């Protein structure tokens, strides 16, 4: 059986110290400061050295205990130090072998290998880490075992480039993209570490006094933080999608990209369940959209969803969707006008409820706060309700279901009817009052789409259209009659 690369101990030790050691040091320092104890630099250095040695010993033992073998029967994996574990994964359960490299792994010449299954988005098994050449050889060996007859056949389109992100597209993908995770990380860091820095350091106290000196300064700092979060998010997207390409292969579509942290993988064509066009208000204003595909099983580490077009003109993204065999409908039908009235009524009731709660709590509010102030949210809320109605739509024909929803992140999902496993309809009390209902479909791996707030009188016909492909299949084998 094969083993992991010995130098993976270096990377695993570093990640363990970065994730656990930093938090431990911060917490220990807080306790020592509270107890008015100063151990001195020598003690701190000795403690850090001991932590490094202990972490390296733990990771070294874990690496030496990992044994694996890929055979025609499947993957055999043995791992664990205190708790030994032996697994046997049948080959038919493994859909794809993905290889990923962060920047530190590239420096060390290592790669992470993930075995993806058909049951969900997570990895069925993960090898951390192999030498890059060994990882590539393992992926090639899986291809040779899994599809020997396909490799013997020739495909004139094998290696055909379907999409390439050029430099201009990379810049637009970063600038037009909005990564709220960066702002969330900044908020979490400020809320957890900020108070300690402000109380225990002179620089922190001075910064707090300067920021809170007047409203203008505070607004300016908040604006700079938002601008910085946007810039960091744009840089992260550019680093992630640098050199991104999508190529057609004999068994599907191969993608690769990344600057520093390289990644690559293959989307099996027979496992593709749906595609999704995604745009934001900024990218929509300039006519750009991204394209993702959903598969039966995890590809790329994102719950079965893989980006195949980071950002491109909307027409080009639709062309790529057509190339992979799932093209969205050209025109969608909006929900009836009574659905817009339902959205506006919901917003009005919610705002009035908030005003009522604030009025009841008036005795506990500061003197400058007015109980009627939340009523100012009614105008923006009604405007957003109108946008919600405008950006929703659906289309159902003999080949596919296309459904669109969302305002800040609008998603147009296309599901081929041949991939549908279940059909469902739903109508809430408020929907039934306005003769509305929603029709949804589910596919393997959790992918699906829902046509929201369509006319309830058309639901039965829509469901019959979606179910019609099932009538041409054998109920046991699901093969064509």
């Amino acid at each position: 059986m094969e083993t992991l690369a010995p130098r993976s101990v270096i990377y695993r030790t570093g990640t363990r110290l970065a994730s656990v050691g930093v938090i431990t040091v911060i917490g220990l320092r807080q306790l020592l400061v509270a107890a008015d104890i100063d151990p001195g630099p020598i003690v701190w250095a000795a403690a850090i050295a001991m932590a490094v040695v202990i972490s390296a010993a733990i990771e070294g033992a874990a690496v030496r205990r990992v044994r694996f073998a890929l055979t025609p029967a499947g993957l055999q994996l043995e791992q664990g130090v205190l708790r030994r574990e032996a697994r046997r994964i049948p080959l038919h359960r493994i859909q794809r072998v993905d290889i990923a490299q962060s920047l530190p792994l590239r420096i060390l010449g290592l790669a992470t290998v993930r075995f993806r299954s058909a049951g969900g988005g997570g990895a069925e098994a993960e090898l951390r880490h192999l030498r890059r050449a060994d990882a590539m050889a393992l992926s090639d060996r899986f291809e040779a075992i899994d599809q020997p007859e396909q490799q013997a056949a020739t495909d004139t389109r094998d290696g055909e480039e379907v999409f390439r992100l050029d430099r201009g597209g990379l810049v637009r993908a970063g600038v037009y993209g909005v990564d709220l995770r960066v702002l969330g990380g900044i908020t979490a860091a400020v809320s957890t570490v900020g108070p300690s820095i402000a109380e225990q350091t002179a620089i922190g106290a001075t910064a707090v006094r300067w920021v809170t000196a007047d409203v203008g300064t505070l607004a300016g700092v908040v604006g700079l933080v938002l601008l910085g979060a946007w810039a960091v998010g744009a840089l992260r997207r550019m680093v992630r999608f640098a050199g991104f390409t999508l190529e057609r292969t004999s068994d599907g579509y191969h993608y690769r990209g990344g600057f520093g942290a390289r990644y690559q993988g293959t989307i099996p064509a027979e496992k593709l369940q749906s595609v999704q066009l995604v745009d934001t208000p900024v990218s929509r204003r300039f006519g750009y959209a991204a394209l993702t595909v959903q598969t039966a099983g995890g590809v790329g580490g994102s719950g079965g969803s893989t980006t195949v077009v980071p950002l491109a003109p909307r027409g080009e993204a639709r062309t790529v969707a057509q190339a992979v065999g799932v093209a969205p409908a050209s025109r969608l039908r909006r929900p009836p006008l009574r659905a817009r009235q339902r959205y506006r009524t919901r917003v009005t009731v919610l705002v009035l409820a908030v005003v009522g709660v604030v009025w009841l709590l008036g005795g506990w509010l500061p003197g400058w706060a007015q109980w009627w102030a939340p009523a100012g949210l009614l105008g923006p809320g009604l405007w957003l309700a109108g946008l919600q109605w405008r950006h929703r739509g659906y289309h159902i024909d003999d080949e596919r279901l296309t459904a669109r929803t969302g305002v800040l992140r609008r998603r147009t999902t296309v599901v081929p009817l041949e991939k549908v496993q279940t059909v469902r309809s739903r109508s809430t009390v408020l929907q039934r009052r306005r003769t509305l209902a929603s029709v949804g479909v589910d596919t393997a791996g959790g992918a699906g789409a829902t046509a929201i707030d369509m006319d309830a009188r058309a639901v039965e016909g829509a469901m019959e259209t979606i179910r019609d492909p099932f009538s041409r299949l054998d109920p046991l084998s699901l093969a064509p009659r």
Side-chain angles (χ1 to χ4, degrees), residues 4 6 8-17 19-21 49-66 79-84 128:
L4 302 180
S8 63
V9 175
I10 301 173
Y11 180 81
R12 293 169 62 124
T13 301
T15 54
R16 174 183 286 270
L17 292 174
S19 60
V20 180
M50 185 178 298
V52 171
V53 172
I54 293 175
S55 298
I58 293 174
E59 295 298 340
V63 167
R64 287 192 298 271
R65 289 289 187 176
V66 176
Q79 59 185 350
V81 179
L82 299 179
R83 183 170 175 262
R84 296 287 292 165
R128 299 183 307 127

Side-chain angles (χ1 to χ4, degrees), residues 350-366 369-375 377:
L350 180 61
V351 171
L352 291 178
V354 173
V355 170
V357 172
V358 174
W359 178 75
L360 292 175
L361 300 177
W364 287 275
L365 295 177
Q370 301 295 329
W371 63 268
W372 44 263
L377 299 174

